[in-house]
Amino acid sequence: MSFGPLLRAHRLRAGMTQDELAETSGVSARTISLLETGKRPRPRLTSARVLADALDLGVEAREAFLNTTTSRNEPRGAGAFLPRDLPDFVGRDAELRRLAEREDRAGEVRVTTVDGMAGVGKTAFAVHAAHMLADRYPDGTLYIDLHGFTPGREPVTSALALESLLYLVGAAPERVPPTVDEWSALWRSALAGRRILVLLDNADAPGQVRPLLPGTSGSHVIVTSRRRMSTLDASVPVTLDVLDGEDAVALFEDIVGPHRVHGQREEVESVVELCGLLPLAIRVAATRLLHRPGWTVEWLAGSLLRQEPGVAGVFSSSCRRLDAEQLRLFTLLGRHPRPDFDVPSAAAAADIPPSVAESLLEDLVDHHLLMQPVAGRYVFHDLMRDHAKALTAGSVH
């Protein structure tokens, strides 16, 4: 692992923010941020030493940490198939810390499910986390897109996914097993006694994932989905929300560059608010500005006021998974006069019994089309409400 990811991993395991590490070590928070994101490949050896002191690293961990400041040829793990980590990844410290803490538990099958609404950054988070943990899995880091919510594609079957995974670990069978259960047994056998990290991205449902899980401890499977995977036994859920304001601004500035936003903090804050603090929408907006040198941030904000931030496609793919009753309630709630609502008001809006309304509302929460800030109260994300209204008007198909 290179210096940046290793520094971030040790900081998160120490339970420190970048500012806290800066205060303890004397290395500026900006320098720490540049190192962790790879924008500065490695520090001076003296800086690495004070960081190691501040992180209170043990003898072996300290030696490995300092060695990354001089190593030019980093070894590649066997079967390293992860996608590229985003250089401008920001935030999610609490969620990453939770993953890092779980790594210290021995003797358990590690399954982590990452869920959240469309565009919230599940794949980016999972890929970043997998890179952060990769050094703990010397037998391989695998990735497969299950296409659970890819427009125009059917989800990958469990059998096809298992065939791909077995091929990646060099254990493809000579004959094709006739059943998913036999594929799954071969996969569990291939994982036994090995330490492999598997990222199953964009899963459709628990039934698609369950045959892909290991049967013994040692490996770690990270699953991303727009649906909650609550029926996967022994899995630990990580639910992603939108970014906080500071991280949203940092993401925008990292994409467009500091020269495009200098002295325009209020305008940048306006843009990320118009994007609903949603990472995908922020990326779309920032990329639009990046490729239009004649635009200002203020002009971009005006453009966003006139049209939505370009995320209708990913929202539509989520809605296509709804049945008729769920979709009807979703669109009716888009016209609800209040920003939040409860079971009785939803039942009245749809003219259905409260018990049916509650079941449908919980389904929409599980699909991350509604949020539930407190028990019994439901609310849309602003961009999702706009999408529901557009569906009602017939302008989104």
Side-chain angles (χ1 to χ4, degrees):
M1 183 183 289
S2 60
F3 186 88
L6 189 58
L7 171 61
R8 184 179 179 89
H10 282 310
R11 177 176 64 79
L12 292 173
R13 287 170 192 148
M16 303 173 75
T17 65
Q18 289 181 347
D19 288 338
E20 289 170 342
L21 179 56
E23 183 177 351
T24 305
S25 67
V27 178
S28 73
R30 174 172 173 76
T31 296
I32 291 170
S33 176
L34 291 172
L35 288 167
E36 288 190 355
T37 57
K39 293 177 181 177
R40 182 174 296 176
R42 47 179 59 84
R44 295 188 300 272
L45 184 57
T46 53
S47 297
R49 285 171 176 159
V50 296
L51 287 168
D53 291 340
L55 292 165
D56 195 23
L57 300 182
V59 175
E60 293 184 1
R62 181 186 178 88
E63 181 181 358
F65 185 72
L66 297 179
N67 283 343
T68 61
T69 65
T70 56
S71 174
R72 300 288 170 177
N73 297 310
E74 296 169 7
R76 176 175 173 173
F81 295 101
L82 293 176
R84 181 180 69 96
D85 195 7
L86 286 175
D88 49 24
F89 184 88
V90 299
R92 311 299 192 193
D93 281 5
E95 293 86 352
L96 289 168
R97 188 180 303 118
R98 185 178 183 188
L99 273 177
E101 289 171 352
R102 193 178 184 213
E103 287 297 309
D104 295 329
R105 302 180 192 171
E108 65 176 25
V109 177
R110 298 184 182 93
V111 180
T112 302
T113 60
V114 181
D115 59 73
M117 68 183 293
V120 82
K122 297 178 293 296
T123 297
F125 169 82
V127 169
H128 187 77
H131 279 281
M132 183 185 78
L133 301 174
D135 63 327
R136 292 173 173 253
Y137 295 93
D139 296 320
T141 51
L142 312 182
Y143 171 89
I144 185 169
D145 187 345
L146 296 176
H147 292 293
F149 294 86
T150 304
R153 289 199 57 165
E154 289 295 316
V156 174
T157 64
S158 299
L160 184 57
L162 286 164
E163 182 179 5
S164 299
L165 290 168
L166 285 165
Y167 175 82
L168 291 177
V169 298
E174 294 183 1
R175 68 173 187 86
V176 176
T179 67
V180 172
D181 287 344
E182 290 188 47
W183 275 114
S184 185
L186 287 172
W187 172 237
R188 292 194 301 272
S189 176
L191 288 182
R194 304 171 78 176
R195 293 186 59 80
I196 291 178
L197 187 147
V198 185
L199 174 48
L200 304 175
D201 192 22
N202 195 13
D204 175 46
Q208 181 191 32
V209 172
R210 198 169 285 111
L212 315 182
L213 302 181
T216 56
S217 62
S219 293
H220 188 163
V221 177
I222 302 175
V223 185
T224 76
S225 181
R226 295 183 196 175
R227 292 179 177 173
R228 287 200 169 106
M229 296 279 174
S230 55
T231 59
L232 283 182
D233 293 340
S235 62
V236 174
V238 175
T239 298
L240 299 184
D241 201 348
V242 296
L243 295 173
D244 63 34
E246 286 296 320
D247 287 336
V249 168
L251 175 59
F252 186 89
E253 292 180 346
D254 281 349
I255 294 171
V256 303
H259 64 288
R260 294 295 299 275
V261 297
H262 181 69
Q264 303 177 79
R265 173 74 184 204
E266 290 186 4
E267 290 83 354
V268 172
E269 289 176 348
S270 176
V271 166
V272 298
E273 287 291 339
L274 288 168
C275 292
L277 304 179
L278 194 66
L280 176 61
I282 294 170
R283 287 189 179 278
V284 171
T287 302
R288 189 182 302 174
L289 179 66
L290 182 64
H291 292 283
R292 290 164 174 79
W295 281 24
T296 64
V297 181
E298 184 178 11
W299 182 272
L300 174 63
S303 174
L304 293 175
L305 283 170
R306 294 187 294 272
Q307 57 183 328
E308 68 172 44
V311 292
V314 295
F315 290 167
S316 293
S317 62
S318 291
C319 291
R320 280 194 288 270
R321 297 293 180 183
L322 302 179
D323 63 30
E325 287 185 330
Q326 293 166 346
L327 183 60
R328 176 175 177 268
L329 182 60
F330 175 76
T331 54
L332 287 172
L333 292 175
R335 300 198 303 254
H336 196 274
R338 292 180 55 83
D340 64 343
F341 35 86
D342 56 14
V343 170
S345 59
D351 192 23
I352 54 178
S355 59
V356 175
E358 182 175 16
S359 177
L360 293 175
L361 286 168
E362 291 297 323
D363 289 341
L364 294 176
V365 170
D366 286 341
H367 281 272
H368 289 285
L369 296 172
L370 287 178
M371 298 180 289
Q372 193 176 32
V374 296
R377 304 296 299 183
Y378 303 86
V379 64
F380 278 107
H381 182 278
D382 290 344
L383 296 182
M384 192 65 77
R385 176 186 287 276
D386 291 343
H387 186 71
K389 289 178 180 177
L391 282 174
T392 304
S395 59
V396 177
H397 304 284

